[in-house]
Amino acid sequence: MIMIFRGIKTLKTEWSVKMARLIEETDYFTLHFLSDGVYGAIAKHGQGAWSNAGIVDLGDECLVFDSFSTPSAGADLRRVAETITGKKVKYLINSHYHGDHVFGNQAFIDATIISTSMTKDLFKEKNKIGNLAKETKETKDYLNQLKIQMEKSQSEVVKASFVNQFNEMSKVLEDLPIMKLVFPTLLFEDKLVIEGSKRRIELYCFGGGHTPSDTFMYLPEEKIAFMGDLVTENLHLPIVNPLEFKSILDKVRLMDIGTFVPGHGIVGKVDLLESVYDYISYLMEKSNEALQSNQSLETFLSEFQTPEPYSKWRGMNGIKDNLSKVYKFLDR
């Protein structure tokens, strides 16, 4: 079955409104001017885009970063990219394998689709579309389960996360009959540079924290980074390796970046990165304390009280799911 996850909280700041200027709006996303020829496509809640994307005018051709969660949203992204730049999309970057970032790939089937080799392997292993009738039934069953959980939820924050999940998966269900999985065709490992006639972009993979392999895109002249889900806004994003996640962010800290485009949420400055870094540090600190005092995972989670501001962060599974993952990781 196709599975994606997320809950997003968007908080507007004076900086983001001023610097990431809204220039276009579609059914799926809002397009924001970041620099001459560089744009952030910020997903609208529950409309079938789900994650953020980027558009970069390289000079003679165009590049897109991530492709949204449905073929329909991906096609809209390509239309806007080629209209606003006047160039054909030559490259599509897949930051990681999660469906909300790659299920729009088929709209770019004639472009060069780039990822790490591990991301491609995970994409092929984890994202599979079987018999359409079976996929449709399973997705409808999942939506019914979400509806029950929405009704039972006592927390408005958690309920909002279930609502967003329900709406996004409903859009995936609508596109299932036309959905095809299109895999990356150009692979790299640690770094890849693309030199356009107008600007240079750099792709980096310092390892895996959110997934086993996470790529981000850096524009050195503009000091802009499209971070995928290495940076998100007020979201309990899934974590597979907290140590490597912190190590990745430590390396990003050393780079000259003024503008961060998160995988989910609005465009911001370095405080977006620091927020995620502090969150992972907090999870590790509390998990280590529990392990050092010989607390079982069950006792640790039952006694844990979510502090501010994390109680307001979105995500269906909340902070305790990540605490469980980090505890088990450190216990190994």
Side-chain angles (χ1 to χ4, degrees):
M1 177 183 173
I2 292 175
M3 291 295 292
I4 322 177
F5 44 82
R6 297 289 183 263
I8 308 168
K9 181 178 182 182
T10 302
L11 297 175
K12 287 191 175 181
T13 65
E14 181 181 350
W15 182 88
S16 65
V17 172
K18 181 180 178 182
M19 300 300 291
R21 188 173 77 249
L22 174 64
I23 58 173
E24 188 168 338
E25 183 172 355
T26 79
D27 291 340
Y28 302 98
F29 62 92
T30 55
L31 190 70
H32 299 260
F33 174 92
L34 304 179
S35 182
D36 180 35
V38 184
Y39 310 90
I42 307 303
K44 287 185 172 181
H45 294 193
Q47 299 303 308
W50 208 336
S51 63
N52 296 336
I55 298 170
V56 180
D57 183 348
L58 295 173
D60 297 324
E61 58 268 321
C62 175
L63 176 149
V64 170
F65 183 85
D66 279 342
S67 65
F68 293 150
S69 66
T70 61
S72 295
D76 198 43
L77 177 63
R78 177 164 190 168
R79 176 189 64 80
V80 170
E82 295 187 339
T83 299
I84 200 165
T85 65
K87 319 287 172 56
K88 185 176 180 180
V89 174
K90 183 173 182 179
Y91 302 105
L92 170 68
I93 315 303
N94 285 166
S95 63
H96 59 289
Y97 76 91
H98 286 158
D100 54 331
H101 295 257
V102 302
F103 283 168
N105 275 15
Q106 71 190 71
F108 303 89
I109 194 167
D110 59 333
T112 299
I113 304 177
I114 303 173
S115 79
T116 66
S117 57
M118 184 180 292
T119 288
K120 180 179 181 179
D121 290 343
L122 288 166
F123 188 168
K124 298 179 77 170
E125 176 188 348
K126 303 290 187 180
N127 299 322
K128 296 180 180 179
I129 300 177
N131 176 271
L132 178 59
K134 182 173 181 289
E135 291 287 351
T136 300
K137 181 182 183 304
E138 289 181 352
T139 304
K140 286 181 176 178
D141 289 344
Y142 176 66
L143 288 170
N144 288 332
Q145 293 170 16
L146 286 176
K147 193 177 293 184
I148 293 170
Q149 291 172 302
M150 284 182 336
E151 294 169 353
K152 288 182 177 180
S153 177
Q154 301 297 313
S155 165
E156 288 302 315
V157 174
V158 174
K159 185 173 183 177
S161 298
F162 278 120
V163 169
N164 189 68
Q165 181 85 0
F166 180 88
N167 291 338
E168 294 290 4
M169 284 303 299
S170 295
K171 293 297 182 180
V172 173
L173 177 62
E174 288 178 13
D175 268 17
L176 267 180
I178 63 170
M179 187 178 291
K180 299 176 183 178
L181 299 183
V182 176
F183 302 113
T185 53
L186 175 61
L187 307 179
F188 78 102
E189 298 307 322
D190 305 313
K191 180 179 179 180
L192 178 67
V193 175
I194 297 176
E195 291 276 6
S197 60
K198 187 172 183 178
R199 60 171 47 86
R200 164 194 179 105
I201 71 101
E202 299 173 358
L203 300 177
Y204 290 94
C205 179
F206 293 149
H210 169 61
T211 71
S213 182
D214 296 303
T215 293
F216 68 95
M217 179 172 72
Y218 178 49
L219 283 65
E221 291 297 320
E222 294 81 3
K223 300 178 174 53
I224 298 171
F226 291 82
M227 295 303 300
D229 284 359
L230 287 170
V231 173
T232 55
E233 184 201 19
N234 298 349
L235 177 66
H236 296 291
L237 73 164
I239 297 169
V240 300
N241 187 325
L243 288 175
E244 196 156 296
F245 210 139
K246 284 187 67 176
S247 174
I248 292 167
L249 296 183
D250 275 328
K251 292 173 183 176
V252 175
R253 277 171 155 177
L254 300 176
M255 302 173 72
D256 187 9
I257 301 173
T259 302
F260 288 82
V261 183
H264 299 269
I266 63 169
V267 177
K269 300 174 78 173
V270 71
D271 57 317
L272 277 177
L273 180 148
E274 296 300 335
S275 176
V276 176
Y277 189 90
D278 290 345
Y279 175 67
I280 298 168
S281 299
Y282 176 79
L283 296 176
M284 293 179 66
E285 176 187 347
K286 291 301 176 183
S287 297
N288 272 319
E289 288 176 0
L291 288 165
Q292 289 169 9
S293 60
N294 294 317
Q295 273 189 309
S296 68
L297 177 59
E298 292 73 19
T299 301
F300 171 44
L301 294 179
S302 65
E303 294 180 355
F304 178 81
Q305 297 294 318
T306 305
E308 293 288 347
Y310 301 136
S311 62
K312 300 295 191 296
W313 283 27
R314 298 289 182 91
M316 292 196 310
N317 297 321
I319 194 172
K320 289 191 176 182
D321 185 63
N322 273 334
L323 276 172
S324 176
K325 291 175 181 175
V326 173
Y327 178 102
K328 292 175 181 177
F329 179 90
L330 296 176
D331 194 32
R332 293 207 301 266

